[in-house]
Amino acid sequence: MAEKIATQKEFYRWAKIRMLDMGVNQRQIADQLGTVPPRISDVLRGSIYGRKYIVPFIRALGGDPQMFDLEALTSKYKEKGA
């Protein structure tokens, strides 16, 4: 099995590539998830406001959450929220 995506930079790159491959933008993903585009920006930047959308966002882009080290990715959220 390939190494899990564990850094915000890797996650951002994966997400942007997937969005380009799928031909979707942040607004379309936000609509699909029932939220507003700034929440998608929050997910991509690692902002605490995007925390609850990370797994739905991964799934919306056709990813498997098991491909990601969610604990490492969300640790930034915990630091900011502490």
Side-chain angles (χ1 to χ4, degrees):
M1 183 176 163
E3 198 170 315
K4 291 184 176 188
I5 293 173
T7 69
Q8 197 65 37
K9 184 177 180 178
E10 291 170 339
F11 176 72
Y12 181 88
R13 184 172 189 264
W14 174 85
K16 286 299 196 173
I17 289 169
R18 286 297 302 147
M19 290 170 64
L20 285 170
D21 287 348
M22 295 173 69
V24 297
N25 60 36
Q26 289 179 217
R27 180 175 298 282
Q28 291 167 315
I29 297 293
D31 288 346
Q32 183 179 343
L33 297 180
T35 191
V36 294
R39 289 304 78 81
I40 302 307
S41 292
D42 291 337
V43 170
L44 292 171
R45 288 183 296 116
S47 168
I48 192 168
Y49 303 110
R51 180 183 202 166
K52 78 177 198 175
Y53 295 101
I54 192 165
V55 170
F57 178 74
I58 290 168
R59 288 187 176 134
L61 293 180
D64 179 355
Q66 293 183 354
M67 294 171 32
F68 302 85
D69 183 340
L70 294 174
E71 187 174 322
L73 288 174
T74 59
S75 67
K76 185 174 180 182
Y77 298 126
K78 291 175 189 167
E79 290 170 17
K80 282 187 162 186

